[in-house]
């Protein structure tokens, strides 16, 4: 069963016929999902029917409850929400968010808003902070991030950057790739991008190696994982949860109102905030004021 009863929908959301399925989970994730839902309700101008689900649960009565409420579109948040939504009636439109990625075979049946920042936005920030960068190097596992690298290639072409994307399907080959890269980079024109990739961006083996060598070579490293800013990368982008909620609600409303087939597939995150490591910026000689970029999180915190 899903945990608790749904929040009663008011007249506005009844017209919208949208429900939100999200994990019944503790902090800090509970607050993240709450903020996303606040953004959804802001966009729909009222409360939406909310169904918290326990981890690993597949509530058998949920499809019946959605039919009873005449709900045609579901916003699924997190892995648990996505798992439940994927088992619902196929007549129900599903918009998913709060997940990093899903297999492309699964995303073809729904719209998935990934938590992976859009490479175009990452490259834009990179060029703003360090205009002299001409080449971006990334090591990635194609099983996780093939879709993201396709977007990155297009973004690099558009912004006049060369993208060197190196595949690695295990930690050993990833370390070897980074060692080769770090032995041949030109810090005046090259930067390393660390994607959210459990194979190639290992926290105990890869990250210390890259950050140590980057510091000694004055090499720019940026990341898709905001936690890496605290560790020493120059910058990262991270979700603006309220804006993400508004975007998910907009996609859900469009799916209901469109006479054609709704958008499907996985999309990179465009609702982002910027985090910067000021100590690393000073070490690299990067004047953050010149970039005129708004910085939402500066680390180390003073």
């Amino acid at each position: 069963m899903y945990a608790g009863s749904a929040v009663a929908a008011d007249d506005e959301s009844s017209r919208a016929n949208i429900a939100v399925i999200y994990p019944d989970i503790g902090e800090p994730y509970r607050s993240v999902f709450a903020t996303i839902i606040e953004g959804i309700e802001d966009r729909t101008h009222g409360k939406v029917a909310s169904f918290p689900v326990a981890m690993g649960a597949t509530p058998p009565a949920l499809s019946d409850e959605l039919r009873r409420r005449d709900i045609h579109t579901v916003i699924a948040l997190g892995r648990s929400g996505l798992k439940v939504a994927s088992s619902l009636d196929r007549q129900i439109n599903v918009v998913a968010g709060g997940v990093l990625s899903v297999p492309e075979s699964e995303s073809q049946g729904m719209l998935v808003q990934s938590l992976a920042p859009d490479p175009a936005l990452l490259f834009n920030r990179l060029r703003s902070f360090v205009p002299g960068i001409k080449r971006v190097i990334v090591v990635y596992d194609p099983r996780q991030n093939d879709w993201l690298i396709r977007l990155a290639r297009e973004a690099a072409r558009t912004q006049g950057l060369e993208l060197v994307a190196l595949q690695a399907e295990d930690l050993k080959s990833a370390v070897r790739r980074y060692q080769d890269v770090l032995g041949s980079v030109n810090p005046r024109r090259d930067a390393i991008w660390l994607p959210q990739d459990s194979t190639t961006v290992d926290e105990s083996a890869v990250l210390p190696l890259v950050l140590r060598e980057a510091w000694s070579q004055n090499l720019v490293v940026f990341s898709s994982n905001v936690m890496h800013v605290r560790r020493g990368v120059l910058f990262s982008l991270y979700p603006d949860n309220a804006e993400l909620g508004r975007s998910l609600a907009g996609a859900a409303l469009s799916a209901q109102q469109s006479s054609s087939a709704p958008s499907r597939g996985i999309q990179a995150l465009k609702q982002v905030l910027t985090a910067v490591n000021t100590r690393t910026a000073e070490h690299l000689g990067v004047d953050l004021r010149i970039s005129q970029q708004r910085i939402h999180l500066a680390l180390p915190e003073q």
Side-chain angles (χ1 to χ4, degrees):
M1 294 181 60
Y2 51 84
S5 60
V7 175
D10 63 12
D11 292 340
E12 185 75 28
S13 61
S14 295
R15 290 195 296 271
N17 298 115
I18 293 172
V20 180
I21 304 173
Y22 66 98
D24 186 18
I25 195 170
E27 297 293 358
Y29 303 104
R30 182 187 298 274
S31 295
V32 170
F33 290 122
T35 303
I36 295 173
I37 293 172
E38 287 173 8
I40 292 170
E41 293 177 340
D42 181 64
R43 180 66 176 80
T44 59
H45 305 294
K47 291 285 187 182
V48 294
S50 298
F51 297 88
V53 295
M55 295 292 287
T58 305
L62 185 54
S63 287
D64 294 338
E65 177 69 11
L66 295 176
R67 277 195 298 271
R68 187 182 70 79
R69 290 171 175 264
D70 195 30
I71 288 172
H72 307 296
T73 302
V74 162
I75 299 174
L77 301 178
R79 284 285 174 188
S80 297
L82 183 57
K83 180 181 178 182
V84 170
S86 64
S87 67
L88 297 175
D89 293 344
R90 293 191 178 276
Q91 290 81 6
I92 296 176
N93 294 315
V94 177
V95 176
V99 294
L100 188 57
S101 66
V102 298
E104 290 190 68
S105 58
E106 295 181 20
S107 66
Q108 291 173 0
M110 64 184 74
L111 176 64
V112 180
Q113 173 66 77
S114 171
L115 290 176
D118 191 327
L121 297 178
L122 283 166
F123 296 167
N124 174 269
R125 299 296 193 281
L126 174 67
R127 289 172 59 84
S128 177
F129 289 136
V130 196
I133 295 297
K134 304 298 182 187
R135 185 170 71 158
V136 173
I137 304 166
V138 59
V139 181
Y140 73 103
D141 183 344
R143 295 168 298 186
Q144 296 184 39
N145 281 314
D146 215 26
W147 70 275
L148 188 65
I149 297 303
R150 288 198 298 269
L151 294 180
R153 292 188 194 281
E154 180 59 32
R157 279 194 295 268
T158 300
Q159 299 189 38
L161 291 167
E162 177 187 355
L163 181 70
V164 178
L166 306 172
Q167 294 187 11
E169 295 192 354
D170 56 58
L171 178 58
K172 183 177 179 180
S173 58
V175 170
R176 189 161 55 244
R177 288 286 201 187
Y178 283 113
Q179 289 172 334
D180 292 343
V181 166
L182 293 166
S184 60
V185 290
N186 180 348
R188 289 191 298 274
R189 64 186 299 272
D190 294 338
I192 292 178
W193 167 30
L194 301 177
Q196 297 190 64
D197 192 309
S198 60
T199 300
T200 67
V201 190
D202 177 82
E203 299 285 328
S204 59
V206 169
L207 191 60
L209 166 69
V210 172
L211 292 179
R212 182 175 61 250
E213 288 299 314
W215 187 270
S216 66
Q217 296 187 46
N218 287 343
L219 174 67
V220 173
V221 179
F222 63 101
S223 176
S224 296
N225 185 341
V226 69
M227 301 303 294
H228 293 166
V229 176
R230 194 178 299 276
R231 299 280 296 272
V233 305
L234 177 60
F235 75 92
S236 178
L237 301 179
Y238 63 102
D240 181 333
N241 292 315
E243 281 299 318
L244 174 57
R246 295 183 189 100
S247 175
L248 290 168
L253 291 170
S254 295
Q256 292 191 155
Q257 297 165 359
S258 175
S259 58
S260 58
S263 299
R264 302 187 188 281
I266 188 166
Q267 298 181 352
L269 182 69
K270 291 181 169 60
Q271 299 75 32
V272 295
L273 304 174
T274 303
V276 174
N277 188 302
T278 55
R279 179 170 176 262
T280 299
E282 183 179 3
H283 177 75
L284 294 170
V286 174
D287 189 339
L288 298 173
R289 294 168 299 180
I290 293 177
S291 71
Q292 297 185 330
Q293 289 286 347
R294 184 178 179 187
I295 297 170
H296 303 87
L297 178 62
L299 297 170
E301 294 169 314
Q302 300 301 316

